[in-house]
Amino acid sequence: MSHAWWQWVASTDSLTTRLTRAGKERAFRVKLLRQEVGRPLPDEARALGIPLGRHAWLREVALCLDETPWVVARSVAPLSQLRGQRLERLGERSLGSWLFQQPDLVRGPLEVSNHSARFAQAELVQAKGPWARRSVFRHGALSLLVQEYFLTEMADELALPSR
Ligand SMILES: C=C(O[C@@H]1C=C(C(=O)O)C=C[C@H]1O)C(=O)O
């Protein structure tokens, strides 16, 4: 991985904040694509340590600068841990902004891959990019798997190397 990409992929602070800064005068927006109760993929269930087939809270968003998606993210949380968190009311507010306000937040190790985003939305079938990463955030009893896919559009706009 190039140094330029490493600085994005290996960062452990808020991606929302980093993107907002890197976008300069472009407007940052979280576009909500899907938020519902559903079945996590098998590797997502394993990453969270929940039984296969157990339903979970799923959220898919595009992190956009001037309406161009730079990153797409899919987050998964076990339903049994959601009580009292009001995550379903987030809407188009950044999950990251909320998470990083939690004083007891712990972030698990980052896993990096070059998988493409596995989202249902037709408009994102083309969502290809050089790198993806995921990690589990813990806050109180809540475990939240956040998977982020950096897109080619971001590389182009920021003149980053291809990998
Ligand atoms: C974890 C963060 O939150 C970002 C915002 C998300 C959202 O609103 O759903 C999802 C994943 C992240 O890309 C972050 O900012 O670092």
Side-chain angles (χ1 to χ4, degrees):
M1 185 184 301
S2 59
H3 178 68
W5 270 113
W6 178 257
Q7 290 191 313
W8 280 99
V9 175
S11 66
T12 54
D13 53 357
S14 167
L15 186 61
T16 302
T17 305
R18 276 181 182 259
L19 286 171
T20 307
R21 279 201 200 117
K24 303 225 169 86
E25 65 286 351
R26 299 174 186 86
F28 174 83
R29 164 158 111 93
V30 175
K31 186 175 176 199
L32 185 62
L33 303 172
R34 185 155 87 118
Q35 189 171 272
E36 62 189 29
V37 171
R39 261 184 239 279
L41 296 164
D43 68 285
E44 294 173 332
R46 270 194 296 276
L48 283 165
I50 56 173
L52 291 183
R54 181 78 55 86
H55 282 75
W57 181 78
L58 307 174
R59 171 176 161 95
E60 295 176 352
V61 300
L63 308 179
C64 302
L65 277 300
D66 277 354
E67 300 302 312
T68 302
W70 282 21
V71 173
V72 286
R74 174 172 155 104
S75 301
V76 185
L79 281 186
S80 58
Q81 299 174 3
L82 278 184
R83 242 162 299 143
Q85 302 291 354
R86 303 181 179 222
L87 283 181
E88 71 284 354
R89 295 206 197 152
L90 263 182
E92 299 212 320
R93 280 171 297 158
S94 162
L95 176 61
S97 304
W98 175 80
L99 274 178
F100 283 96
Q101 281 170 27
Q102 308 309 316
D104 64 340
L105 185 71
V106 175
R107 183 172 205 163
L110 280 166
E111 291 179 274
V112 177
S113 76
N114 50 18
H115 295 159
S116 296
R118 302 159 296 176
F119 292 6
Q121 275 64 31
E123 66 181 293
L124 284 174
V125 168
Q126 307 297 338
K128 293 232 163 55
W131 298 109
R133 67 176 193 176
R134 69 180 189 181
S135 64
V136 176
F137 288 90
R138 295 208 160 75
H139 151 56
L142 177 70
S143 307
L144 191 79
L145 175 68
V146 176
Q147 307 169 100
E148 293 155 330
Y149 302 83
F150 296 92
L151 304 180
T152 307
E153 286 77 0
M154 172 177 164
D156 293 345
E157 293 271 336
L158 294 179
L160 294 168
S162 58
R163 298 303 289 272

